Amino acid sequence: MAQQNNPVLPRGVTQATFEKALEAFRALLGEENVLAQPSQLTPYSKVMMSVENDAHAPSAALTVSSVEQVQGVVRICNEHKIPIWPISTGRNFGYGSAAPVQRGQVILDLKKMNRILKVDPDMCYALVEPGVTYQQLYDYIEENNLPLMLSFPAPSAIASPLGNIMDRGVGYTPYGEHFMMQCGMEVVLANGDIYRTGMGGVKGSNTWQIFKWGFGPTLDGMFTQANYGIVTKIGFWLMPKPPVFKPFEVIFENEEDIVDIVEMLRPLRISGTIPNSVVIANVLWEAGSANVRRQTYTTESGHTPDEILKKIQRDTGMGAWNLYAALYGTQEQVDADWKIVSEAFKRLGKGRIVTQEEAGDKQPFKYRAQLMSGVPNLQEFGLYNWRGGGGSMWFAPVSEARGSECEKQARLAKRILHKHGLDYVAEFIVGPRDMHHVVDVLFDRTNPEETARADACFNELLDEFEKEGYAVYRVNTRFQERVARSYGTVKRDVEHAIKRALDPNNILAPGRSGIDLHTYNKV
Ligand code: ADP
């Protein structure tokens, strides 16, 4: 096929070398799996970050269907020094979507590798390829009537378990810390070797998805949020579907209530009485995901004032904070736990409890209950309409599960967002000891002035939180280099030493989490 000169090239690669690489990719994968025309790349080019799409434009995209093809791609990349950016389904919205961390990287799209390799209803695990979506796995479990429950992020249906685990995402069930539930990976390394973690290297072993640690160093974590390999299979544990599931919400009137809520919750979470990743969502998160129209409340371009937040609360019955949790087990277990939990809330003397019976089909209760019971949905996309214009960047600092700390973080984030004319749209996802404080920095990307404000705001959030000893657990591709610096030089030295050892040609996702042999000069 006659090629136009490609307007986007990988860093340091000439047009002639790039053409040679494309030819080799075509010979390996077939014409139809090598996408290099700008129109073919549109689906991989759209980001939601505070920067032009151009800054993260890919030079080409490859779709592959087998592990052997992935090995072949890696071989060609080494030969021509072509950087590749692997994606599973590329739905990492608010963290970079499908686009590469650096302009010019070639997307390695794994979505055609979408086989569910095994679901074991006795041992309660799944082994899947990168392109398997949560919806696909959910349908498989339902069609085969398996007594298993999924855990996923929101919105979940179209994303993949593998991609979510690779970015260390979280969900809302008792298995909500997804990387903790991962067991066994297959990884294509930069030299083309196929490495299996845990028990996976033992010939004939049937415990690859059963026992994580294997023997000697255990390296699974090293491949997450990293660029040391392309993961082609992943195993993870599934929770047995409980006979009784009891979701509930507790609505709190005042912002300051966060202190008491978290103090009351922590012992219930650490003891396992409340087993799931509880969510505490603020009023704007509730309003956005229930598709309350921002324009109904204010037409101003700045942040939503506190009086309006109170008005939304009065009009909709939503709280300043809205806590969602659930109990799981037999009727006897749930009854016993409910007594403990409901009495703890009563002792607190604030908060209005809403049960499933009272909520009926009302949103956002309905989709929250679905998330906590493993039923995929897309309801949370409603957040993107709150402000409109397609800008969204997650700011996700880690906090102690301590009331005073959560309040301090909430106040700090709100002050900085308001200073830049943006809203504080936030939820806390409650681990036993930690909180993922997740703030959706929403902005109108069609408005350059607002986009510049969002960019400055995100930088200030990172800087000001760092001064207090806080850092984020995950971040979009625009800020990965910046965030890597928060974690110290020794960590970065080690990460680059590993990179040099495993990927000396720097072909796998250079720049991912700030790891890039080309720009990191400390040898
Ligand atoms: P999802 O399928 O859940 O939408 P993505 O495909 O967007 O997830 O991937 C999320 C992140 O994980 C991206 O930064 C991507 O580079 C990385 N990633 C995805 N799949 C793989 C893989 N198979 N191997 C290594 N990294 C991956």
Side-chain angles (χ1 to χ4, degrees):
M1 190 166 71
Q3 285 298 305
Q4 301 160 350
N5 269 4
N6 197 313
V8 181
L9 287 172
R11 180 179 62 194
V13 175
T14 64
Q15 180 78 39
T17 304
F18 189 58
E19 289 301 331
K20 266 194 213 144
L22 287 182
E23 242 165 71
F25 289 137
R26 284 192 198 100
L28 174 74
L29 307 172
E31 289 269 348
E32 67 284 8
N33 291 308
V34 180
L35 316 174
Q37 300 301 321
S39 61
Q40 295 175 305
L41 296 176
T42 312
Y44 301 100
S45 305
K46 192 163 165 25
V47 295
M48 303 175 87
M49 303 180 290
S50 51
V51 66
E52 291 294 318
N53 290 348
D54 246 19
H56 294 268
S59 54
L62 312 172
T63 51
V64 291
S65 324
S66 69
V67 174
E68 294 71 27
Q69 287 189 344
V70 174
Q71 290 176 293
V73 166
V74 163
R75 184 176 40 72
I76 296 166
C77 289
N78 273 308
E79 192 179 331
H80 300 286
K81 309 283 187 295
I82 305 286
I84 38 170
W85 178 257
I87 57 167
S88 290
T89 63
R91 311 290 191 175
N92 215 7
F93 299 125
Y95 287 113
S97 308
V101 61
Q102 290 171 4
R103 179 178 160 87
Q105 295 180 339
V106 173
I107 305 268
L108 179 63
D109 183 342
L110 302 160
K111 71 166 168 292
K112 286 187 181 168
M113 295 173 67
N114 64 353
R115 287 177 306 162
I116 298 171
L117 298 167
K118 187 162 185 184
V119 178
D120 188 319
D122 302 320
M123 293 297 156
C124 301
Y125 69 74
L127 178 68
V128 301
E129 292 187 327
V132 170
T133 63
Y134 284 109
Q135 185 71 52
Q136 187 186 344
L137 192 53
Y138 177 80
D139 291 344
Y140 178 90
I141 288 170
E142 289 299 298
E143 278 157 24
N144 292 282
N145 210 12
L146 303 177
L148 298 168
M149 204 176 92
L150 291 179
S151 179
F152 35 68
S156 50
I158 52 180
S160 72
L162 192 146
N164 188 261
I165 294 171
M166 293 317 288
D167 224 19
R168 297 205 292 266
V170 292
Y172 303 89
T173 73
Y175 281 33
E177 181 62 271
H178 294 159
F179 178 54
M180 197 134 63
M181 296 301 157
Q182 177 268 334
C183 191
M185 280 180 192
E186 178 185 89
V187 190
V188 174
L189 301 175
N191 68 0
D193 281 354
I194 297 174
Y195 170 62
R196 289 185 168 191
T197 65
M199 303 300 291
V202 179
K203 262 208 185 97
S205 168
N206 59 5
T207 52
W208 191 25
Q209 273 62 61
I210 300 292
F211 182 65
K212 281 168 178 262
W213 317 121
F215 170 78
T218 180
L219 303 182
D220 301 64
M222 199 183 88
F223 294 101
T224 63
Q225 292 194 1
N227 53 13
Y228 302 133
I230 299 158
V231 178
T232 45
K233 292 182 182 66
I234 205 155
F236 50 97
W237 297 331
L238 300 171
M239 184 174 151
K241 207 177 256 173
V244 176
F245 163 67
K246 185 178 177 64
F248 62 95
E249 179 185 8
V250 191
I251 298 172
F252 293 89
E253 287 307 311
N254 301 309
E255 272 182 76
E256 314 76 79
D257 293 343
I258 191 73
V259 179
D260 293 337
I261 302 171
V262 174
E263 286 302 302
M264 190 223 54
L265 262 182
R266 189 183 50 251
L268 293 172
R269 284 289 289 120
I270 291 184
S271 68
T273 311
I274 295 181
N276 74 316
S277 300
V278 176
V279 163
I280 311 168
N282 82 346
V283 59
L284 283 184
W285 193 294
E286 288 284 275
S289 49
N291 288 310
V292 173
R293 272 172 59 80
R294 183 171 188 266
Q295 289 74 6
T296 309
Y297 287 95
T298 171
T299 50
E300 290 164 29
S301 62
H303 73 265
T304 312
D306 280 359
E307 316 82 79
I308 300 286
L309 298 183
K310 281 288 168 205
K311 182 165 165 46
I312 296 175
Q313 283 186 236
R314 280 196 303 276
D315 290 356
T316 61
M318 293 168 180
W321 294 108
N322 307 270
L323 177 151
Y324 294 93
L327 302 177
Y328 306 73
T330 63
Q331 191 64 58
E332 293 87 334
Q333 288 170 320
V334 167
D335 286 347
D337 287 340
W338 180 242
K339 192 162 180 300
I340 298 168
V341 169
S342 55
E343 278 171 10
F345 277 106
K346 274 185 208 133
R347 272 199 305 279
L348 190 65
K350 54 180 94 163
R352 184 164 61 82
I353 298 180
V354 180
T355 60
Q356 174 73 77
E357 294 70 34
E358 289 155 336
D361 253 4
K362 214 169 145 222
Q363 292 291 15
F365 189 102
K366 184 179 174 190
Y367 95 91
R368 288 290 184 185
Q370 287 178 330
L371 290 180
M372 294 188 291
S373 62
V375 181
N377 64 77
L378 297 173
Q379 179 72 20
E380 221 164 77
F381 272 121
L383 278 181
Y384 299 142
N385 298 328
W386 172 251
R387 200 161 191 108
S392 165
M393 299 189 287
W394 303 103
F395 175 68
V398 176
S399 167
E400 261 190 319
R402 194 185 294 281
S404 54
E405 282 294 294
C406 294
E407 193 199 25
K408 182 175 159 191
Q409 285 207 358
R411 275 186 198 282
L412 186 56
K414 188 172 171 181
R415 180 175 62 70
I416 295 167
L417 281 147
H418 283 192
K419 179 178 153 193
H420 294 274
L422 300 172
D423 280 327
Y424 175 59
V425 181
E427 70 174 14
F428 286 97
I429 306 182
V430 187
R433 294 166 182 81
D434 70 288
M435 293 276 195
H436 288 46
H437 177 196
V438 182
V439 182
D440 196 353
V441 179
L442 293 165
F443 59 100
D444 180 357
R445 240 182 131 242
T446 64
N447 174 346
E449 186 275 328
E450 186 160 311
T451 303
R453 261 192 285 132
D455 200 62
C457 178
F458 208 91
N459 272 304
E460 190 169 336
L461 284 165
L462 291 169
D463 291 346
E464 293 303 310
F465 271 66
E466 188 173 292
K467 283 182 198 157
E468 301 295 325
Y470 302 134
V472 299
Y473 86 99
R474 179 182 183 189
V475 80
N476 68 66
T477 47
R478 174 161 175 75
F479 294 95
Q480 289 186 357
E481 164 67 27
R482 161 70 186 83
V483 168
R485 279 186 253 131
S486 303
Y487 281 81
T489 50
V490 174
K491 181 173 178 290
R492 300 200 77 189
D493 288 348
V494 172
E495 287 164 357
H496 283 82
I498 296 171
K499 184 72 174 165
R500 273 193 294 279
L502 292 184
D503 181 14
N505 289 328
N506 206 30
I507 57 161
L508 300 183
R512 171 83 152 110
S513 297
I515 305 165
D516 181 357
L517 295 181
H518 183 78
T519 53
Y520 192 73
N521 293 320
K522 205 154 184 283
V523 183

